[in-house]
Amino acid sequence: MPAPSDFKIIAIDGGAATGKSSTSRGLADKLDLMHVDTGAHYRTLTYAMLKVGASPESDNISELLGALSLDTTLEGRSARLSINNEVPADSAIRSPEVNANVSKFAAIETVRQKLFNYQRSLAEVAQSANYTGLVMEGRDIGSIIFPDADHRFFLHADEATRAARRANEGQTDSIAARDQMDKTRKTAPLVCPEGATQVDTAPFTLEEVIEKIAKLILNP
Ligand code: C5P
């Protein structure tokens, strides 16, 4: 197991379709890190809540959350959240219904509390699996989950580029509406964490963005 002092945590935050996932996965491959997509956590939780008939307005959210047990499955170098032993398919957590509800569930304090300790505990999962570090992507990683991360990046891109990326993926997604909800919620709003390096991904290819960030990590 790597010594705790050698273990590196890299936080990648940013709005929807700014390139967080592809960049984080590419960085994890390049630097041999474990990868965690926390957007997928909120999506998986949303999927599980919708499945039991809950809506973000339900008044028994805390009770329903209590019945969900969280665990981790490693798929290659990516850690996936399982809920009650199910890792739903990617198509299920990226459906129009989940897209429309995920930011509403993510704004609920008890939902975020449910994921806080779980997300922090993934550093130990990465260490136990002998990775020398963890790259975690989301909205509040450098601000709330790992404010003590070794490296923090905040990705952004203009709206036309982001819309084109989602269209290429064949997804129906209201990026601007989700960003607005994520930025204005009371708990853990989407912000550029203090001291994070901002990276505009629009003018660059994915490989260029990965290279740029890897260089900043290796030669701080
Ligand atoms: O990253 P992705 O677009 O899949 O995230 C889906 C939603 O999950 C976001 O719009 C946001 O509402 C929520 N989220 C969050 N905090 C994170 C990651 C995602 O609130 N760390």
Side-chain angles (χ1 to χ4, degrees):
M1 204 186 288
S5 58
D6 293 337
F7 189 80
K8 297 276 176 272
I9 295 184
I10 294 148
I12 311 263
D13 288 300
T18 53
K20 293 186 307 298
S21 276
S22 342
T23 304
S24 304
R25 284 172 203 281
L27 263 181
D29 280 341
K30 196 175 175 74
L31 304 180
D32 192 24
L33 309 168
M34 190 176 93
H35 164 253
V36 178
D37 171 3
T38 62
H41 296 169
Y42 286 94
R43 290 173 174 279
T44 303
L45 211 130
T46 299
Y47 165 87
M49 294 298 269
L50 293 173
K51 199 169 149 187
V52 295
S55 82
E57 290 77 35
S58 300
D59 50 19
N60 58 342
I61 299 259
S62 301
E63 194 187 314
L64 294 172
L65 286 172
L68 305 182
S69 87
L70 312 185
D71 213 335
T72 305
T73 303
L74 273 178
E75 282 179 8
R77 61 176 67 256
S78 282
R80 298 283 305 257
L81 168 68
S82 68
I83 296 191
N84 297 348
N85 295 319
E86 181 189 2
V87 181
D90 238 37
S91 55
I93 65 167
R94 296 181 195 283
S95 68
E97 206 189 358
V98 170
N99 280 343
N101 283 285
V102 63
S103 290
K104 294 179 194 161
F105 277 110
I108 300 170
E109 196 156 344
T110 47
V111 167
R112 304 201 76 83
Q113 278 165 2
K114 176 97 186 166
L115 288 174
F116 179 83
N117 288 330
Y118 170 72
Q119 290 173 345
R120 279 196 63 91
S121 75
L122 290 169
E124 280 118 62
V125 172
Q127 281 183 293
S128 307
N130 278 316
Y131 286 104
T132 53
L134 166 70
V135 54
M136 186 175 281
E137 49 159 310
R139 304 293 188 289
D140 61 343
I141 310 308
S143 57
I144 306 282
I145 306 298
F146 288 116
D148 46 352
D150 298 278
H151 300 276
R152 291 176 299 157
F153 296 94
F154 189 79
L155 272 44
H156 60 99
D158 61 82
E159 222 161 290
T161 304
R162 296 161 65 194
R165 284 176 183 162
R166 277 296 186 264
N168 281 342
E169 291 162 5
Q171 278 202 52
T172 317
D173 193 358
S174 337
I175 296 171
R178 279 206 289 132
D179 270 6
Q180 185 57 20
M181 260 186 272
D182 294 343
K183 280 182 195 161
T184 53
R185 68 185 173 215
K186 280 204 206 100
T187 313
L190 166 64
V191 285
C192 174
E194 226 182 288
T197 304
Q198 297 211 31
V199 180
D200 181 0
T201 63
F204 303 106
T205 63
L206 173 60
E207 289 68 31
E208 286 169 336
V209 174
I210 294 168
E211 188 62 35
K212 197 181 171 89
I213 295 182
K215 269 194 188 144
L216 289 167
I217 292 170
L218 297 172
N219 312 298

